[in-house]
Amino acid sequence: MSSLRRKIILAYLAVGLLFVGLLLLAHMELRRLENQIKAEEGLLEFFNAVLEMRRYEKNFLLYNNELDIQEHGRWHREAQPYVTERLGRPPNPARMTEWRSLKQKMERYQEAMDQLVAARGGGEADGAVMVHREDQLRQAGKELVAWAEWLAKQEKEQLAAAMAQHRFLLLVIMLFLVLLLWLVGYRLSRAVTRPLKAVEEAMRQVAEGLTSPIDLPYRDQEIRSLTLAFNRMIKELHARQRHLIRAEKLAALGTTLSGVAHELNNPLSNIATSCQILLEDAEAPPFQRRLLEHIDSQTLRAAGIVRSLLDFARDRPFRKEPVQAVTLVEDTLRLLKPHLREGVDLEVRIAPGLTLFADTGKLQQVLLNLIKNAMDAVPEASGRVVVEGESLPAPPDLETPASGRLTLGDVSTFGNRGCVTLRVRDNGTGIDAACLPRLFDPFFTTKEAGKGAGLGLFVTHEIVEKHGGALMVESLPGRGATFHLFLPEEPPRGEP
């Protein structure tokens, strides 16, 4: 599978290699210019040496001084290696003929000088011969200077042309690099922005209510990962939407149940009253009395169910009051009866007379969540759920860390007051250590898709926190789970 990261690396690697190649080319051009500049400097030195030779030549012709001959020879020796070096390593092989001509002119000039010096030293008296030799020397010197000037002019023109060529080459390199960087940036931007535009369009459609998955026609790994993450988000949105609809239905159902329960209260009350009147008839047959007693008990049972429904469905302000723990658990189990599974042993161990200071409806919701989760976690044939409650003389130490334990809340606020604890234990699959820290996060669930919204324990934690209590979970994989609920036994001072 292709990758945007790989494409970006390869693109900039190619640009980097090309840039290095162009730099090497520019470096080679600079070296060539440097050699030409050195050659130009050497030609200037040669030209200066030729001019010095002509100067001492004129002095010799005027004064016939031996020192002038020596200086002339010294400048000739300094100029000679430059011509020899040029013929050995010419910067421009096409101009070898010109440099050979220069060497010949130097040799002819030096030969004319040697002949004149020899003639004067030999004492030749023929003035015409001497004049002829001097004219030959002057003519050879003029030709040498003219040829050296012409060569210097050619070298300058060649150097100027090389400089112009180098400037043009640098300009071409700069334009080429700018064009290449623009092209690479354009291609990369299209490779990145086009799929991102498609994702942006999909998000806009989601904002407008269209939540269909997307399938972008791009095979880059990053885009595919983004597409998969987006589709997972769409799927999760569908699930959340279903849960919200279900929550709305439950809220509506709660309102309906509240109305139905109110409507049932009157006939149940009439049935109970009529049954009591009939039971007061001492002459009623035993069989009839047994039926009336059965009707009376079932009516009271139905009234208890209605009362539980009313307590659970009623939306009322948070209000703490003394609550009997046994009654609270019994009412909760009555609501859970349709969810109780065959083969699961449910045991209640509540200390006699145990009283909680809590909001009945909210705490009932906590027990509903904990007991229902325990029912879902235990095996069908050998499942066991235990609901326990007791009073402790002092809050327990929840600060000590332990493996497989998660604590939320602070019992140090209880002060010297006693503590009431409710526990829901099960012998289910337990909770994985990686999931334990996130157990009370909203929308986090370990259940299969569609079987849990991940809000039950989150709401449980909020309710316990509002009560000023604490929660502790103890669980190891394969060894079940225990949820501890700690509440202050008495309200704080000043709290009604």
Side-chain angles (χ1 to χ4, degrees):
M1 182 181 290
S2 62
S3 169
L4 285 177
R5 182 171 178 270
R6 188 180 298 112
K7 287 181 180 178
I8 294 173
I9 291 175
L10 290 178
Y12 280 98
L13 182 61
V15 171
L17 292 175
L18 183 60
F19 184 72
V20 171
L22 293 175
L23 286 179
L24 291 176
L25 178 61
H27 177 71
M28 293 172 61
E29 283 293 315
L30 286 175
R31 289 295 299 272
R32 187 170 68 85
L33 282 176
E34 183 182 1
N35 293 333
Q36 288 186 343
I37 292 172
K38 287 182 179 179
E40 177 69 18
E41 293 175 351
L43 185 58
L44 289 176
E45 293 177 358
F46 170 78
F47 185 71
N48 290 331
V50 170
L51 293 179
E52 289 294 327
M53 289 167 59
R54 291 302 311 278
R55 185 168 69 86
Y56 284 107
E57 168 204 331
K58 291 177 182 179
N59 290 339
F60 173 70
L61 293 177
L62 289 174
Y63 305 111
N64 195 22
N65 191 341
E66 183 67 24
L67 291 176
D68 294 329
I69 297 297
Q70 293 176 2
E71 289 297 320
H72 183 278
R74 183 173 67 81
W75 283 108
H76 178 268
R77 288 190 298 273
E78 288 188 8
Q80 187 66 32
Y82 178 76
V83 180
T84 304
E85 181 182 359
R86 276 302 184 92
L87 289 173
R89 292 186 301 172
N92 189 355
R95 302 181 62 185
M96 285 290 292
T97 304
E98 299 169 356
W99 286 99
R100 289 194 183 97
S101 298
L102 179 63
K103 183 179 181 182
Q104 292 173 1
K105 293 182 184 301
M106 279 196 64
E107 291 174 350
R108 190 179 303 119
Y109 174 72
Q110 187 61 34
E111 182 180 354
M113 187 65 180
D114 292 340
Q115 290 177 357
L116 180 62
V117 171
R120 286 192 174 186
E124 292 185 2
D126 191 348
V129 174
M130 294 297 293
V131 170
H132 177 68
R133 292 189 181 280
E134 290 176 2
D135 291 340
Q136 283 183 336
L137 178 62
R138 290 190 182 95
Q139 185 62 33
K142 288 180 182 180
E143 292 180 358
L144 178 60
V145 171
W147 196 256
E149 287 180 344
W150 183 81
L151 281 177
K153 182 180 179 181
Q154 295 296 316
E155 289 286 341
K156 286 181 180 179
E157 292 177 354
Q158 184 177 356
L159 180 60
M163 292 290 292
Q165 181 181 358
H166 184 69
R167 286 195 297 269
F168 178 76
L169 179 62
L170 287 179
L171 181 61
V172 170
I173 290 175
M174 290 170 56
L175 291 177
F176 180 75
L177 284 176
V178 170
L179 180 61
L180 182 63
L181 288 175
W182 176 83
L183 181 61
V184 171
Y186 175 74
R187 295 289 296 177
L188 288 177
S189 66
R190 282 179 62 86
V192 175
T193 57
R194 287 180 65 184
L196 290 181
K197 285 284 186 183
V199 174
E200 181 183 0
E201 177 64 20
M203 289 183 175
R204 185 187 63 79
Q205 293 179 0
V206 170
E208 293 177 354
L210 301 176
T211 56
S212 57
I214 61 173
D215 185 16
L216 299 180
Y218 305 101
R219 294 295 174 264
D220 294 317
Q221 183 178 357
E222 294 83 357
I223 302 302
R224 297 301 300 169
S225 299
L226 183 61
T227 303
L228 292 175
F230 185 83
N231 288 336
R232 282 197 299 269
M233 182 189 71
I234 293 295
K235 183 179 179 181
E236 193 65 22
L237 281 176
H238 279 297
R240 295 290 177 261
Q241 188 177 22
R242 289 195 301 269
H243 288 305
L244 286 175
I245 293 173
R246 182 172 178 268
E248 290 293 332
K249 288 181 178 180
L250 288 176
L253 181 60
T255 304
T256 303
L257 286 176
S258 179
V260 170
H262 278 293
E263 292 296 327
L264 287 176
N265 266 336
N266 289 331
L268 287 175
S269 178
N270 291 333
I271 292 172
T273 302
S274 300
C275 187
Q276 289 296 326
I277 293 173
L278 292 175
L279 284 174
E280 290 177 358
D281 185 6
E283 298 179 357
F287 176 72
Q288 182 179 353
R289 181 174 291 278
R290 284 197 304 272
L291 290 177
L292 289 173
E293 290 175 351
H294 183 68
I295 291 173
D296 184 57
S297 64
Q298 293 302 313
T299 302
L300 293 176
R301 180 172 177 272
I305 294 174
V306 169
R307 186 176 62 255
S308 298
L309 287 174
L310 282 173
D311 290 340
F312 186 73
R314 186 180 295 124
D315 186 14
R316 60 184 183 182
F318 184 83
R319 186 182 62 199
K320 291 193 288 186
E321 58 187 0
V323 180
Q324 292 295 319
V326 173
T327 304
L328 178 68
V329 174
E330 288 178 351
D331 290 343
T332 303
L333 294 179
R334 189 178 294 115
L335 292 173
L336 273 173
K337 188 172 182 179
H339 301 281
L340 298 180
R341 294 161 51 190
E342 294 284 343
V344 176
D345 181 20
L346 178 60
E347 185 178 354
V348 178
R349 300 176 183 173
I350 304 295
L354 182 63
T355 303
L356 303 171
F357 189 76
D359 184 289
T360 305
K362 300 296 183 184
L363 200 57
Q364 194 175 59
Q365 189 174 356
V366 169
L367 289 175
L368 277 171
N369 290 331
L370 296 181
I371 297 174
K372 191 173 185 306
N373 285 345
M375 286 287 181
D376 293 338
V378 297
E380 293 185 3
S382 58
R384 188 165 184 263
V385 177
V386 179
V387 181
E388 300 175 315
E390 61 179 334
S391 177
L392 303 176
D397 181 15
L398 303 182
E399 301 297 328
T400 304
S403 176
R405 176 188 291 179
L406 173 67
T407 302
L408 298 176
D410 186 9
V411 296
S412 62
T413 58
F414 293 5
N416 296 325
R417 293 173 293 164
C419 174
V420 175
T421 177
L422 293 176
R423 291 185 295 273
V424 178
R425 294 192 289 113
D426 65 71
N427 63 341
T429 56
I431 303 170
D432 189 79
C435 299
L436 195 61
R438 302 180 55 196
L439 200 60
F440 292 93
D441 291 349
F443 301 113
F444 176 77
T445 178
T446 58
K447 298 179 181 179
E448 299 178 6
K451 292 188 176 180
L455 291 172
L457 291 179
F458 172 72
V459 172
T460 296
H461 174 224
E462 284 195 333
I463 292 174
V464 173
E465 188 177 38
K466 199 169 184 179
H467 278 83
L471 271 172
M472 184 174 70
V473 185
E474 292 180 311
S475 178
L476 292 174
R479 299 177 61 180
T482 303
F483 285 80
H484 301 262
L485 169 61
F486 301 99
L487 294 174
E489 194 169 27
E490 297 176 0
R493 292 181 180 178
E495 184 175 310

